[in-house]
Amino acid sequence: MAQFVNAKESLVTEALDGLLATSGGKLARLDGYPHIKVVYRAGWDRAKVALISGGGSGHEPAHAGFVGPGMLTAAVCGEVFASPSVEAVLAGILAVTGEAGCLLIVKNYTGDRLNFGLAAERARALGRRVEMVVVDDDIALPDLPQPRGVAGTLFVHKIAGAAAEAGESLEEVAAKARAVVGKVASIGKSLDTCTVPGSPKEDRIPKGKAELGLGIHGEPGVEQVNFIGAESAMGIVLEKLEPHLGDGKRVALLNNLGSTTPLEMSVLAHALAAAGVAQHVIGPAPMMTSLDMHGFSVSVIEVDDAELAALAQPVTMAAWPGMNDVVAVPVTPLPDGLTPIEPIPSANARTRATLEHVADLLVAAEATLNALDAKSGDGDTGSTLATAARALKGSLDRLPLADLTQLFPALGNELSQTMGGSSGVILAIYFNAAGDACANGQTIHQALREGLRRVSEVGGAQVGDRTMIDALAPALEALDRGLAAAAAAARAGADNTAAIHRAKAGRAAYVPEQNLRGHNDPGAEAVAILFEGLAEKLGV
Amino acid sequence: MAQFVNAKESLVTEALDGLLATSGGKLARLDGYPHIKVVYRAGWDRAKVALISGGGSGHEPAHAGFVGPGMLTAAVCGEVFASPSVEAVLAGILAVTGEAGCLLIVKNYTGDRLNFGLAAERARALGRRVEMVVVDDDIALPDLPQPRGVAGTLFVHKIAGAAAEAGESLEEVAAKARAVVGKVASIGKSLDTCTVPGSPKEDRIPKGKAELGLGIHGEPGVEQVNFIGAESAMGIVLEKLEPHLGDGKRVALLNNLGSTTPLEMSVLAHALAAAGVAQHVIGPAPMMTSLDMHGFSVSVIEVDDAELAALAQPVTMAAWPGMNDVVAVPVTPLPDGLTPIEPIPSANARTRATLEHVADLLVAAEATLNALDAKSGDGDTGSTLATAARALKGSLDRLPLADLTQLFPALGNELSQTMGGSSGVILAIYFNAAGDACANGQTIHQALREGLRRVSEVGGAQVGDRTMIDALAPALEALDRGLAAAAAAARAGADNTAAIHRAKAGRAAYVPEQNLRGHNDPGAEAVAILFEGLAEKLGV
């Protein structure tokens, strides 16, 4: 599978330099590329206990993303899924360790233990005070003599990090780290393996199955279980964790192993919260990933008040998602006003006659407009308008005909319900905006123009875009000079659309040019027919 | 492709509830599921201008993840890739809009424009002050009449959000939003399409190609271009953006479209920083995703000082990665002490004789130990030790034989170089730790035991785990009683390993039980042979 890399050899060093270049100078690195890849806090003055972690790369944001005040002092990074060398770890130790000493936080893999362990000895021989904790939080295999270190390591970083930042001694910081290691339990689940750069992806997990108890290096899980959905997947994971947990206050860390979408992670968070396994939660977020693995892991720890406070303490690193209380979803009632208030019907003979006439004109134009639309669209403009017109005639007894301020929005709501689709929404916007203008004291002509302005703003169409606006805009401009002038302007505008070969808005934007040539836009034509008919009936 | 969902119908509502349950009460929602999905700031008092955004889901953390002080007041969420209804938007407006009014921030898609637009009109009819801006930052098609709204929308959220939080008026907030819309340009690039829940994944992008100018709904890009690496991919994107940008201060937003690994995103960040296109950067981070799309987008805007300050202002939402200056990678020299100081050679006849004898014993045992190892391993234990022993004999003139404090670490460094692998590291840890103990005033016997303690701590092996420790630990315990006692204890311990069928540490942990039965562990046997040979030569 293709990936956004340049060369496997430079992948990790480029990625680290990318992180550093976009971290605003908060991170620095040692001049040891390609062999020594150590990222550390810029400006670190060695006055406090240094916290050093690391291991193979491919678990980002771990570990370099957690370097900063309140968490790690330095991250020693190996190549993808490969332990850093003894020299690299030693360089990290020597670079950041002062009188207060340093704590190495190591995940339980043989290579990491040995390389960090020997580096610790060599640093001690050089007079540095070095302690080391090995995190073995993975409970996938209950009787595994050497459980792996996985995402539970983040608890160590944060709790020991807060202690170190508070100026506690090496012994105190190490004791807190060891206490965390003794309590934290983690397990992962995935629907797919990960893609190691430069290697073909293993196709290990069959359809309908998920792998439980996998590691963060693509190594096979303990078992393949049936996958029937997110809730069940989370249930199985929590069931495995439960025997390892104390009964006190618990914090869960919900980790994205790589390519699980935020939507899925939130669905899993919903299942986690519903299960009530923990009172506090970190994430969901990618914290200790396995490249692009489509999976998640849950780590849970029972905490005392001091540990809880340490986990809650904010840090500035973007990779740390913070801790939150797990809460019942706060739900508030819907606001009033969602259902349009049915206006009180009122009578006005002239308005009624005008609306009836408009409706009749549109019903009469059904076939003409359909035929026109067939040339550039799906041939239903006439029917859509006629259907709405018939419904309008049937609704006249319910409308507030005597009050334009009320009538306009009522017409808009009526049309949006009977026409449906985009056209209905556009007409609803038109009449609601016109009603709004009327309510603000504008004249009927001004209100009609305001409706157009809003439709144009919302729909994005202007004169010249081959829409009904090409007829409506000139008609409304001319309206102050009488209906005949408006009708003439509408007709000119509609006829002009036949020459617009490139539609810029509306659905005609997707129609080939040759299909538009020589035909009026059906919407503009409908407007022209309307104004012509009204002018004829109602006079100049 | 399987995903961590329960049912397509409940995907978005469960995900939103998952977000809310794990947000510690900072977010609330309206009681309108499944139709009305509105997430808003808990405790919002309507005193300031409300900012409302939203649209189809599948772009998480946008938009609900950006709800909070300094960004959005509410997010109105549709189903995956589907616009929310007019009623849903109206509910959002009515729920959070007070006297100060509200600004709708809408991405330029017809459905969103119309539904947000009509909701705005209906809210105005109910007396609310509502402004709306439409974001059209996508520059994929230079002459597209209706450019899409993509990740550049985040700039609007942040800059308008800071203005609203500062108590500016609706007119001021809307003007700032429109200024951003007028300046921001975005384009995306992807190596694969996205997986829409419940639909098969489209296989559109051939091997060796990347799609340029795609949208955030899996719609095809403007063109498929050759993909030769991350740097070139970023170069093409920046080349497209350049004509749209001003010459002033620029901020780039590097967005992960979904499943691009943090490692790849950092490589892309490296290329972005190196190109010098912007002085400030937001990300890399997933901000406006397209489900699990393996791609990225870059948005760039030229900013004035006020806009830069607004973007820099910290917010508490974990989804917002913050803005940083783009910096030259801070590189510092490697610390001193990485190269072990060559000890000054010194002579001691007895120590020299002992070491020579140890080496001879191991060389003599080569075949025996290889044969033993062949029964449970790869048959090279004897050769590994013999090779190291021969090298040791050749190095005696260079060693500080007269000073044990120096000799121990020197032996460790020598062995780690000549043996290589885990065994070399373990012995190096052993002798470095012993040297450290000598330096701290311990006796030679104490120092040898301290070496074992450290090896056990680092390697994780204990007595009974079928390693060399099974012979070494009893031998060192017995050493105060003389070499003969130590030799006897080592022999008993080594012979005892033949009965240990289940190895708990070291490589024998991976060997089937039946292969271990009845054979001594070769490491333990080597220790026994050593002590027996030393006792014989050096006497009791």
Side-chain angles (χ1 to χ4, degrees):
Chain A
M1 193 174 76
Q3 293 184 308
F4 290 108
V5 304
N6 294 307
K8 198 185 158 193
E9 297 66 38
S10 59
L11 166 57
V12 175
T13 54
E14 286 182 343
L16 289 176
D17 275 358
L19 173 71
L20 268 72
T22 55
S23 292
K26 291 189 282 278
L27 297 176
R29 70 163 171 91
L30 294 180
D31 191 13
Y33 279 179
H35 181 54
I36 294 177
K37 298 181 281 285
V38 173
V39 173
Y40 70 99
R41 276 172 69 174
W44 170 249
D45 67 359
R46 306 186 184 195
K48 297 171 182 170
V49 172
L51 258 57
I52 302 171
S53 194
S57 293
H59 308 302
E60 293 68 26
H63 296 276
F66 298 113
V67 171
M71 289 184 79
L72 299 179
T73 315
V76 185
C77 308
E79 291 297 302
V80 171
F81 293 171
S83 184
S85 70
V86 175
E87 283 67 31
V89 179
L90 180 60
I93 296 172
L94 296 178
V96 299
T97 306
E99 292 291 315
C102 78
L103 175 68
L104 307 185
I105 302 167
V106 179
K107 298 193 298 304
N108 194 16
Y109 298 98
T110 306
D112 285 344
R113 285 181 81 134
L114 294 180
N115 293 341
F116 278 80
L118 178 52
E121 294 304 339
R122 287 182 54 187
R124 287 183 188 118
L126 292 166
R128 304 305 193 283
R129 295 178 59 217
V130 184
E131 290 277 339
M132 174 166 149
V133 294
V134 178
V135 189
D136 55 357
D137 53 319
D138 184 24
I139 53 102
L141 276 172
D143 54 352
L144 195 71
Q146 293 284 355
R148 297 168 292 205
V150 289
T153 310
L154 273 302
F155 285 116
V156 185
H157 294 171
K158 190 68 176 68
I159 291 174
E165 195 66 24
E168 296 186 21
S169 72
L170 179 57
E171 291 67 30
E172 289 168 317
V173 174
K176 289 189 173 176
R178 292 200 176 96
V180 172
V181 171
K183 294 194 286 187
V184 63
S186 302
I187 190 165
K189 192 165 194 176
S190 183
L191 292 170
D192 204 353
T193 52
C194 60
T195 314
V196 180
S199 304
K201 185 166 175 170
E202 201 188 342
D203 192 12
R204 191 173 66 215
I205 308 176
K207 213 176 157 168
K209 293 280 183 183
E211 216 166 64
L212 180 68
L214 39 78
I216 55 175
H217 304 93
E219 62 267 43
V222 170
E223 52 180 325
Q224 292 192 340
V225 296
N226 290 332
F227 176 69
I228 56 167
E231 192 180 336
S232 144
M234 178 59 77
I236 292 170
V237 158
L238 297 180
E239 198 177 289
K240 291 276 180 189
L241 284 171
E242 194 56 45
H244 298 265
L245 301 175
D247 290 330
K249 269 178 278 183
R250 291 173 179 175
V251 181
L253 183 146
L254 179 50
N255 176 49
N256 185 344
L257 282 169
S259 67
T260 314
T261 60
L263 210 48
E264 293 168 274
M265 289 308 299
S266 288
V267 169
L268 290 166
H270 179 244
L272 176 70
V277 72
Q279 294 80 53
H280 313 275
V281 64
I282 295 162
M287 290 173 271
M288 180 82 75
T289 61
S290 178
L291 293 168
D292 62 349
M293 188 177 283
H294 186 183
F296 68 96
S297 70
V298 179
S299 305
V300 185
I301 186 172
E302 185 191 2
V303 290
D304 60 28
D305 289 342
E307 288 165 337
L308 191 64
L311 291 172
Q313 209 165 292
V315 293
T316 54
M317 291 78 81
W320 181 251
M323 185 181 76
N324 280 313
D325 295 345
V326 177
V327 297
V329 174
V331 180
T332 52
L334 286 173
D336 294 334
L338 285 185
T339 315
I341 298 159
E342 281 292 317
I344 298 159
S346 56
N348 179 302
R350 184 153 180 263
T351 302
R352 186 180 186 105
T354 305
L355 288 176
E356 279 178 337
H357 187 50
V358 163
D360 290 340
L361 287 166
L362 288 174
V363 170
E366 180 168 359
T368 310
L369 294 174
N370 276 350
L372 203 53
D373 188 32
K375 289 173 180 158
S376 61
D378 51 2
D380 68 351
T381 298
S383 297
T384 303
L385 290 169
T387 303
R390 286 185 198 101
L392 178 63
K393 280 184 82 171
S395 73
L396 291 174
D397 288 343
R398 288 186 282 110
L399 291 175
L401 299 175
D403 178 356
L404 275 184
T405 301
Q406 284 193 50
L407 178 59
F408 277 138
L411 277 174
N413 294 338
E414 193 70 29
L415 289 171
S416 74
Q417 281 165 37
T418 55
M419 286 183 71
S422 301
S423 315
V425 176
I426 287 171
L427 288 175
I429 292 171
Y430 185 90
F431 285 110
N432 271 284
D436 191 31
C438 274
N440 289 332
Q442 299 195 36
T443 68
I444 179 169
H445 289 184
Q446 287 172 326
L448 291 172
R449 287 192 283 266
E450 176 62 14
L452 177 60
R453 195 186 68 73
R454 292 277 177 82
V455 161
S456 181
E457 181 183 280
V458 171
Q462 309 291 334
V463 168
D465 286 350
R466 197 184 159 99
T467 70
M468 69 164 182
I469 291 176
D470 286 320
L472 189 58
L476 294 179
E477 281 308 316
L479 199 54
D480 290 345
R481 290 181 278 119
L483 262 177
R491 170 49 56 203
D495 290 349
N496 195 41
T497 59
I500 303 175
H501 304 152
R502 178 100 201 263
K504 287 202 188 129
R507 57 183 189 167
Y510 309 104
V511 174
E513 284 190 34
Q514 62 268 28
N515 295 17
L516 302 178
R517 246 179 253 279
H519 317 298
N520 284 8
D521 175 72
E525 181 64 24
V527 172
I529 290 172
L530 263 192
F531 273 93
E532 286 171 340
L534 285 170
E536 197 182 329
K537 174 141 184 147
L538 303 178
V540 187
Chain B
M1 194 174 77
Q3 292 185 305
F4 289 108
V5 304
N6 294 306
K8 197 184 157 191
E9 298 67 38
S10 60
L11 166 57
V12 176
T13 54
E14 286 182 344
L16 289 176
D17 276 358
L19 174 70
L20 269 71
T22 55
S23 293
K26 292 189 280 281
L27 298 175
R29 70 164 172 89
L30 294 180
D31 190 12
Y33 278 179
H35 181 55
I36 294 177
K37 297 180 281 286
V38 174
V39 173
Y40 70 99
R41 275 172 69 174
W44 170 249
D45 66 1
R46 305 187 183 195
K48 296 170 182 172
V49 171
L51 257 57
I52 302 171
S53 193
S57 293
H59 308 302
E60 294 68 25
H63 293 278
F66 298 113
V67 172
M71 289 185 78
L72 299 179
T73 315
V76 185
C77 307
E79 290 299 301
V80 172
F81 293 171
S83 184
S85 71
V86 175
E87 283 67 30
V89 180
L90 180 59
I93 297 173
L94 297 177
V96 299
T97 306
E99 291 290 316
C102 78
L103 174 68
L104 307 185
I105 302 169
V106 180
K107 297 193 300 304
N108 194 16
Y109 299 97
T110 307
D112 284 344
R113 286 182 80 132
L114 295 179
N115 293 341
F116 278 81
L118 179 52
E121 293 305 338
R122 286 182 57 187
R124 287 183 186 117
L126 293 166
R128 302 305 193 284
R129 295 177 59 217
V130 184
E131 290 278 339
M132 174 166 148
V133 293
V134 178
V135 190
D136 55 357
D137 53 318
D138 184 24
I139 53 102
L141 276 172
D143 53 351
L144 195 74
Q146 293 284 354
R148 297 167 293 204
V150 289
T153 310
L154 273 301
F155 284 115
V156 185
H157 294 169
K158 189 68 177 67
I159 291 173
E165 196 65 25
E168 295 186 21
S169 72
L170 178 58
E171 291 68 28
E172 290 168 315
V173 174
K176 290 189 173 176
R178 291 197 177 97
V180 172
V181 172
K183 294 193 286 187
V184 63
S186 302
I187 190 165
K189 191 165 194 176
S190 184
L191 292 171
D192 203 355
T193 53
C194 60
T195 314
V196 180
S199 304
K201 185 166 178 171
E202 201 188 341
D203 192 12
R204 192 174 64 214
I205 307 176
K207 213 177 156 168
K209 293 279 183 183
E211 215 165 65
L212 180 68
L214 40 77
I216 54 174
H217 304 91
E219 62 267 44
V222 169
E223 52 179 326
Q224 292 191 340
V225 296
N226 290 332
F227 175 70
I228 57 168
E231 192 179 336
S232 145
M234 177 59 77
I236 292 169
V237 158
L238 296 180
E239 197 177 290
K240 291 276 179 189
L241 284 171
E242 194 54 46
H244 298 266
L245 301 175
D247 290 329
K249 268 177 281 184
R250 291 172 180 176
V251 182
L253 183 146
L254 180 50
N255 176 49
N256 185 344
L257 283 167
S259 66
T260 314
T261 59
L263 209 48
E264 292 169 274
M265 289 307 299
S266 289
V267 170
L268 290 165
H270 179 245
L272 176 71
V277 72
Q279 294 79 51
H280 312 276
V281 63
I282 295 160
M287 290 172 270
M288 179 83 76
T289 60
S290 179
L291 294 168
D292 62 348
M293 188 177 283
H294 186 182
F296 69 97
S297 71
V298 179
S299 305
V300 185
I301 187 172
E302 186 191 2
V303 291
D304 61 27
D305 289 341
E307 288 165 336
L308 191 64
L311 290 172
Q313 209 165 291
V315 293
T316 54
M317 290 79 81
W320 181 251
M323 186 179 76
N324 280 314
D325 296 345
V326 176
V327 297
V329 174
V331 180
T332 52
L334 286 174
D336 295 332
L338 286 185
T339 314
I341 297 160
E342 282 293 319
I344 298 160
S346 57
N348 181 301
R350 185 155 179 257
T351 302
R352 187 179 186 106
T354 305
L355 288 175
E356 279 178 340
H357 187 50
V358 163
D360 290 340
L361 287 167
L362 289 173
V363 170
E366 180 169 358
T368 311
L369 293 173
N370 276 348
L372 203 54
D373 188 33
K375 290 174 179 158
S376 62
D378 50 4
D380 68 351
T381 298
S383 297
T384 304
L385 290 169
T387 303
R390 286 184 197 102
L392 179 63
K393 280 184 82 171
S395 72
L396 291 175
D397 288 343
R398 288 186 283 110
L399 292 175
L401 299 175
D403 178 356
L404 276 183
T405 301
Q406 283 193 52
L407 178 59
F408 277 139
L411 278 175
N413 295 337
E414 194 68 30
L415 289 171
S416 75
Q417 281 164 37
T418 55
M419 285 182 74
S422 300
S423 313
V425 176
I426 287 172
L427 288 177
I429 292 172
Y430 185 89
F431 285 109
N432 271 285
D436 193 31
C438 275
N440 288 330
Q442 299 196 36
T443 68
I444 179 167
H445 289 186
Q446 286 172 330
L448 291 172
R449 285 193 285 266
E450 176 62 15
L452 176 60
R453 196 187 66 75
R454 291 275 179 82
V455 161
S456 181
E457 182 184 280
V458 171
Q462 309 291 334
V463 168
D465 286 348
R466 200 185 156 97
T467 70
M468 68 164 181
I469 291 176
D470 286 320
L472 190 57
L476 294 179
E477 283 307 315
L479 199 53
D480 291 345
R481 289 181 278 119
L483 261 177
R491 170 51 54 205
D495 290 349
N496 195 40
T497 59
I500 304 175
H501 304 150
R502 178 100 200 266
K504 287 201 187 130
R507 57 182 187 166
Y510 308 103
V511 175
E513 283 188 34
Q514 62 268 27
N515 296 15
L516 303 178
R517 245 180 254 278
H519 317 298
N520 284 9
D521 175 72
E525 180 65 24
V527 171
I529 290 173
L530 262 191
F531 273 92
E532 287 171 339
L534 285 171
E536 197 182 331
K537 172 142 184 143
L538 303 178
V540 188

